[in-house]
């Protein structure tokens, strides 16, 4: 009785200081679109304790996706993946904008991306007090972009006469590139107001949805904007980039992982295994941050078609279940 109590105590202690931790990418590793990749549920159950050691292993989800408040997204991910994921385990592309609002929340900002005013509401939830949308400008003067008419839902939520923005925050993947590129170039070349600082939260040129071929992500929008800005001004677009693989995003995510692992600043980190499908974001970022990286074959990268990945992972495996199995066996 005493020994089992002692064992439980030691295991709890071991639990707090697990020797390994996981960082899971979402699209192309756990999900295809809104559906769970079949083996993802098993993989997460293994991390939650259904493994040969009976150990609950700390983990976070780190995605270049987003478009919903963290608490709401965590609830829907928990439902789809069959495990309880808290908002404190979820870092989306735009989560990093929340601490930034402490310093710049009072400034007028233009918010890009997402459906209708979902991203305006995310910005307000982070503490931005003057978030505008591209449709606010079109509602002010429909001549800004003559090839698009606001629909009833947009007219309902538009707030005409927005203040000139200090920042443009690309919270999620833009939906109306033509209007948004025209508007951003107008704002960057405004005759009297200073150009806003442009911030992107996701550099992905491609990502894997439920369509069998990778889709253009926010990085493709940035590419289009950069080209139109240079063609019309001759200048190189200046911008701040967050999201995987940037150092800022991995450092930000590490704080969440330390919380999950019960690690204080200065204490030794567990060995972190990043499981991703995109060599450019998941593998490049993990390698640069000194984490182990596992590239799986269920997303952007496909070993049958793509040849050697541009960024070499610690290990290449078929899917996230194999990734979790391999990492646990390797650690114990
Ligand atoms: O918009 C989402 C996409 O760019 C990538 O998401 O989860 O693979 O980082 P994820
Ligand atoms: Mg992915």
């Amino acid at each position: 009785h005493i020994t089992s109590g002692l064992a439980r105590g030691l295991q709890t202690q071991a639990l707090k200081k697990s020797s390994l931790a996981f960082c899971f990418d979402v699209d192309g590793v756990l999900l295809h679109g809104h559906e769970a990749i079949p083996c993802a549920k098993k993989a997460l159950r293994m991390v939650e304790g259904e493994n040969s050691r009976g150990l609950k292993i700390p983990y976070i989800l780190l995605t270049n996706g987003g478009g919903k408040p963290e608490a709401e997204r965590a609830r829907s991910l928990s439902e789809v993946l069959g495990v309880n994921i808290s908002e404190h385990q979820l870092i989306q592309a735009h989560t990093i904008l929340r601490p930034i609002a402490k310093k710049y929340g009072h400034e007028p900002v233009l918010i890009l991306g997402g459906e209708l005013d979902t991203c305006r509401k995310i910005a307000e939830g982070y503490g931005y007090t003057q978030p505008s949308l591209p449709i606010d400008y079109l509602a002010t003067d429909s001549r800004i972009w003559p090839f698009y008419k606001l629909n009833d839902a947009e007219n309902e939520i538009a707030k005409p006469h927005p203040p000139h923005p200090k920042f443009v925050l690309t919270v999620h993947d833009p939906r109306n590139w033509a209007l948004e590129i025209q508007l951003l170039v107008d704002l960057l070349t405004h005759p009297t107001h200073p150009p806003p600082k442009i911030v992107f939260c996701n550099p992905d040129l491609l990502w894997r949805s439920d369509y069998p071929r990778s889709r253009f992500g926010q990085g493709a929008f940035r590419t289009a904007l950069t080209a139109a800005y240079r063609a019309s001004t001759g200048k190189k677009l200046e911008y701040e980039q967050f999201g995987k693989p940037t150092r800022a995003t991995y450092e930000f995510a590490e704080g969440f992982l330390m919380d999950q692992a019960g690690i204080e600043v200065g204490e030794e980190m567990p060995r972190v295994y990043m499981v991703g499908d995109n060599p450019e974001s998941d593998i490049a970022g993990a390698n640069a941050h000194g984490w182990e990286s596992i590239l799986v074959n269920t997303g952007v990268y496909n070993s049958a078609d793509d040849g050697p990945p541009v960024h070499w992972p610690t290990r290449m495996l078929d899917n996230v279940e194999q990734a979790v199995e391999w990492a646990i066996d390797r650690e114990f």
Side-chain angles (χ1 to χ4, degrees), residues 25-27 63-65 172-173 202 204 207 244 277:
D25 172 43
V26 174
D27 291 303
T63 174
N64 276 348
H172 191 35
D173 295 18
N202 165 9
D204 286 356
W207 67 292
K244 296 175 289 183
D277 70 297

Side-chain angles (χ1 to χ4, degrees), residues 24-29 62-66 73 172-173 202 204-208 216-218 244 277-278 281-282 300:
F24 294 109
D25 172 43
V26 174
D27 291 303
V29 172
L62 175 58
T63 174
N64 276 348
R73 186 80 197 279
H172 191 35
D173 295 18
N202 165 9
D204 286 356
L205 177 68
L206 300 170
W207 67 292
R208 180 63 192 276
F216 278 145
Q218 195 179 124
K244 296 175 289 183
D277 70 297
N278 187 335
S281 60
D282 305 313
V300 167

Side-chain angles (χ1 to χ4, degrees), residues 71-241:
E72 184 183 331
R73 186 80 197 279
R75 279 194 297 276
S76 71
L77 285 166
S78 300
E79 231 167 273
V80 171
L81 295 166
V83 292
N84 182 37
I85 295 164
S86 88
E87 64 176 294
H88 307 296
Q89 287 175 275
L90 175 62
I91 302 98
Q92 300 187 106
H94 45 75
T95 310
I96 200 167
L97 298 178
R98 182 164 53 198
I100 292 172
K102 292 189 180 66
K103 186 170 179 189
Y104 296 108
H106 63 287
E107 299 283 3
V109 294
L110 171 61
I111 302 296
L112 299 189
E115 303 297 336
L116 292 171
D117 60 349
T118 49
C119 289
R120 185 193 328 251
K121 288 180 178 147
I122 289 173
E124 286 167 341
Y126 287 169
Y128 293 93
T129 55
Q130 301 180 76
S132 61
L133 296 175
I135 56 171
D136 297 349
Y137 289 81
L138 204 55
T140 307
D141 187 336
S142 62
R143 297 172 302 169
I144 283 176
W145 183 249
F147 304 123
Y148 182 75
K149 296 284 170 271
L150 294 180
N151 61 38
D152 294 347
E154 289 165 329
N155 272 313
E156 191 75 23
I157 57 162
K159 297 180 180 175
H161 306 293
H164 185 79
K166 182 106 178 186
F167 298 94
V168 176
L169 305 177
T170 313
V171 170
H172 191 35
D173 295 18
R175 292 332 194 237
N176 191 335
W177 290 21
L179 164 63
E180 287 156 355
I181 288 173
Q182 176 67 76
L183 177 59
L184 261 59
V185 176
D186 286 350
L187 293 168
L188 286 164
T189 58
H190 196 280
T192 55
H193 290 294
K197 288 182 177 39
I198 311 291
V199 177
F200 294 106
C201 292
N202 165 9
D204 286 356
L205 177 68
L206 300 170
W207 67 292
R208 180 63 192 276
S209 66
D210 52 358
Y211 188 69
R213 298 176 65 189
S214 297
R215 302 294 75 194
F216 278 145
Q218 195 179 124
F221 169 76
R222 189 194 71 206
T223 303
L225 171 65
T226 303
Y229 180 71
R230 180 181 286 282
S232 53
T233 67
K235 291 182 196 163
K236 182 175 173 297
L237 181 72
E238 302 293 328
Y239 57 84
E240 182 78 35
Q241 181 70 64

Side-chain angles (χ1 to χ4, degrees), residues 17-39:
K17 310 290 179 199
S18 168
S19 67
L20 80 160
F22 285 100
C23 177
F24 294 109
D25 172 43
V26 174
D27 291 303
V29 172
L30 300 174
L31 298 184
H32 280 156
H34 299 295
E35 300 296 316
I37 289 173
C39 65

